[in-house]
Amino acid sequence: RRIEELAAPPRKAERLPPKAGSLKPGALPGAVKAAPPSRIEPQLATLEKDATSGDDWLHEVKFDGYRSQIVRDVNGVRIFSRRGLDWTAKYRDLAKAASELDAEDAIIDGEVIVTNEAVLSDFKALRKAITSRQQDLY
């Protein structure tokens, strides 16, 4: 969105999200019962020459971190790198936080970062946090 839109008061939602517990996946049109995937491809940024505009597009800030996926299922919590390597041991605090989520099954795809004093992502601090475990990972 344009900076003016971000600074403006929020627009009225066109429709409200479903209430917790009211979504019945089996009742969705075309839904097929199946085991959850063991891996999904991470959503990676794509380099473009010009920014796309229009109401059908959303843009996000590019954080300087590691793209990772948290998988929570009957086997517990595991965290994978964008290439599928198991990094759970590197992200022990993050794995513990994910184990406390109010969900039985989930795949969370996102960027793991550490912020500096200016609240900006700091890749060097992330590397240090992974090796020293002295900072929280987000």
Side-chain angles (χ1 to χ4, degrees):
R1 293 189 290 173
R2 293 186 310 271
I3 194 71
E4 297 82 14
E5 293 175 302
L6 295 172
R11 293 182 289 182
K12 184 177 177 183
E14 293 176 12
R15 77 182 158 148
L16 297 174
K19 291 182 181 177
S22 68
L23 182 61
K24 309 242 183 291
L28 296 172
V32 176
K33 188 170 186 164
S38 59
R39 173 166 164 74
I40 59 172
E41 287 301 312
Q43 296 294 304
L44 302 175
T46 303
L47 182 62
E48 295 290 336
K49 187 174 182 176
D50 296 311
T52 306
S53 62
D55 293 338
D56 294 336
W57 291 90
L58 296 175
H59 300 272
E60 65 181 43
V61 173
K62 170 61 176 105
F63 292 108
D64 199 7
Y66 283 122
R67 192 65 181 206
S68 303
Q69 290 181 337
I70 301 171
V71 177
R72 180 181 169 154
D73 58 22
V74 295
N75 298 313
V77 172
R78 293 164 326 281
I79 303 177
F80 297 98
S81 72
R82 67 186 271 182
R83 303 226 190 291
L85 301 174
D86 188 332
W87 280 22
T88 310
K90 295 178 186 291
Y91 297 145
R92 286 192 308 248
D93 294 339
L94 193 55
K96 182 180 181 306
S99 71
E100 297 170 0
L101 291 173
D102 187 19
E104 291 179 18
D105 297 301
I107 298 177
I108 302 169
D109 178 29
E111 197 84 5
V112 177
I113 68 167
V114 168
T115 57
N116 60 22
E117 299 80 29
V119 197
L120 299 172
S121 61
D122 184 333
F123 190 75
K124 185 177 178 182
L126 172 61
R127 295 285 303 149
K128 183 177 178 183
I130 288 173
T131 58
S132 70
R133 309 249 196 276
Q134 293 178 352
Q135 291 180 281
D136 293 329
L137 302 173
Y138 300 99

